Amino acid sequence: MANDDPRLRRYWHVACRAAALDDGPVAATVLGEELVIARLDDGTVTALPDRCPHRWARLSDGCVRGAEIECPYHGWRFDGAGRCTAVPALGEDAAVPSRAHLEPVRTTEALGLVWVALDEPAAPLLEVPEWDADGVVAVWLPDTDLSAGCAQFVDNFLDIAHFPFVHRGTFGLEDQPETEPFAVEDTDGGAGLRVRYRHEVANPEDPAVATGEHPLVQFRSMEYTWRVPFSARLRLEYELTGVENTILVFVTPVDATSSRLFCVLLRNDVTSPEDPRARSAAEFEYRVLTEDLVLLERLAERDFGLAVTEQVHTRADRNTIELRRLLGAHLEGLDGAAPGALDAHTVPSLLEATP
Ligand code: FES
Ligand code: FE
């Protein structure tokens, strides 16, 4: 499965951050579709093709006028439903050409993001219980373009066994390469999964490490949740410091080989996004992310390999095998077809056959 799988039109994908619309219309490409996203003056958000039907100017280069988007070229205006409401060159009361209308794309706002679904969505958004919790501050990382498939990013995000290698420069412990056994729980009728795991990591973010009050190596509990197709949440609880940090990642398929990552941290140890500790938390997480991206952008394929027999798995990959099974089954379920070759019974035997 690659980013250009047409079945991905049946899911919500992030178009942009909601705050980005404060400065006017924004361009976003989702599954190869170039869109303009705008917040109209009545507060509603609209998504339309980013191509004026007149001479194909980009509406994202235009502006919002009241409850309409105005094209930058000849000033044609489009309302939130895509209807062309004015052709200034013809005068105020002139009829607009019947082919001047645009087809809107369905949108919704959640988690500080604007989401679009090109076709009827087949799954709800990821739930994030701590999003509105007291004492939690959202710290956004820069939106990041990556030259890898969305599923490959999620696969890496859920992967536990890479920490001692890819992240040896940040939190990974080279001398603890073993992954302890862990369980994977399917959730939301097969649209999600949950994994809990407790382990030791380096915690250079803890200021008490530098003063010698705390050891560098500390226990933390992780809880992963994933939602089809490309949303994931990782809740981290550091036992010694009481710091809670939820990392949310949402990856949008831009085109066949590129993706756009939206990432936010929900921290209980900072007072505002401007707090210097918030900035250093974002910088640390971005270093971690960069370690992953260096590797992901060098993968030999941009295809996720839903056909699991093409790759080799071990029991340390239990959650990412389950990711393949659930994602594959959900995509196949869209057509009303039975899940394919990898069903729930295949996974245990696959694991048993491997070390
Ligand atoms: Fe948009 Fe002419 S190209 S109004
Ligand atoms: Fe990683």
Side-chain angles (χ1 to χ4, degrees):
M1 190 205 83
N3 268 8
D4 57 357
D5 190 318
R7 295 173 294 182
L8 293 172
R9 295 175 62 92
R10 292 286 313 275
Y11 297 92
W12 291 109
H13 303 286
V14 175
C16 62
R17 278 200 245 169
L21 301 179
D22 294 349
D23 300 327
V26 165
T29 303
V30 178
L31 291 165
E33 304 268 350
E34 296 183 326
L35 304 174
V36 54
I37 318 292
R39 187 181 302 285
L40 307 178
D41 283 359
D42 60 4
T44 58
V45 170
T46 190
L48 302 175
D50 193 14
R51 186 166 102 148
C52 178
H54 180 217
R55 289 293 179 267
W56 299 350
R58 292 196 177 276
L59 296 175
S60 56
D61 293 337
C63 61
V64 170
R65 290 225 184 269
E68 294 165 326
I69 302 175
E70 183 183 276
C71 177
Y73 201 169
H74 312 90
W76 290 22
R77 294 198 300 272
F78 302 87
D79 68 14
R83 279 188 298 271
C84 181
T85 55
V87 176
L90 300 181
E92 271 307 302
D93 299 324
V96 301
S98 59
R99 289 174 51 242
H101 305 299
L102 295 168
E103 197 60 43
V105 171
R106 61 179 69 63
T107 65
T108 190
E109 274 189 85
L111 305 172
L113 298 163
V114 176
W115 303 72
V116 296
L118 299 176
D119 292 327
E120 182 67 29
L125 300 179
L126 177 77
E127 280 122 34
V128 182
E130 61 273 61
W131 178 257
D132 287 324
D134 286 344
V136 168
V137 174
V139 181
W140 289 89
L141 267 58
D143 305 343
T144 302
D145 292 313
L146 50 139
S147 187
C150 292
Q152 292 174 315
F153 182 90
V154 173
D155 187 38
N156 164 266
F157 188 74
L158 296 179
D159 184 293
I160 294 172
H162 77 287
F163 296 162
F165 301 94
V166 174
H167 298 303
R168 53 164 69 104
T170 48
F171 69 92
L173 298 179
E174 260 183 302
D175 59 350
Q176 294 191 30
E178 279 186 40
T179 304
E180 298 293 325
F182 60 90
V184 185
E185 189 188 332
D186 294 358
T187 64
D188 312 292
L193 63 76
R194 177 183 296 114
V195 173
R196 295 198 173 97
Y197 192 77
R198 179 175 180 266
H199 66 157
E200 280 188 307
V201 291
N203 186 11
E205 285 192 280
D206 176 2
V209 169
T211 62
E213 291 163 78
H214 286 170
L216 175 64
V217 175
Q218 302 178 8
F219 273 101
R220 77 174 185 188
S221 299
M222 303 200 293
E223 181 188 71
Y224 284 106
T225 53
W226 162 78
R227 173 62 57 87
V228 281
F230 308 132
S231 295
R233 161 184 171 274
L234 171 56
R235 182 168 177 77
L236 304 173
E237 295 181 14
Y238 291 85
E239 297 177 7
L240 195 56
T241 60
V243 170
E244 295 170 3
N245 177 21
T246 295
I247 305 169
L248 301 178
V249 293
F250 309 101
V251 215
T252 295
V254 173
D255 57 31
T257 57
S258 60
S259 309
R260 190 166 179 80
L261 170 69
F262 299 86
C263 178
V264 61
L265 314 177
L266 304 177
R267 309 266 316 197
N268 75 342
D269 61 335
V270 301
T271 53
S272 76
E274 292 74 39
D275 183 336
R277 285 177 303 175
R279 201 156 311 146
S280 65
E283 281 169 8
F284 181 76
E285 216 55 65
Y286 207 77
R287 272 177 60 206
V288 174
L289 174 67
T290 304
E291 291 172 332
D292 288 314
L293 294 191
V294 166
L295 188 121
L296 280 173
E297 294 194 331
R298 290 282 303 151
L299 292 180
E301 303 265 357
R302 290 287 174 270
D303 195 292
F304 178 52
L306 265 182
V308 290
T309 49
E310 292 176 358
Q311 297 177 324
V312 181
H313 313 277
T314 75
R315 61 180 158 75
D317 306 313
R318 186 176 284 276
N319 53 347
T320 52
I321 297 171
E322 191 63 1
L323 170 71
R324 284 160 174 74
R325 186 182 77 77
L326 292 173
L327 186 54
H330 211 274
L331 290 167
E332 293 206 16
L334 297 178
D335 311 323
L342 183 67
D343 59 27
H345 303 292
T346 315
V347 173
S349 58
L350 192 70
L351 290 168
E352 279 157 27
T354 60

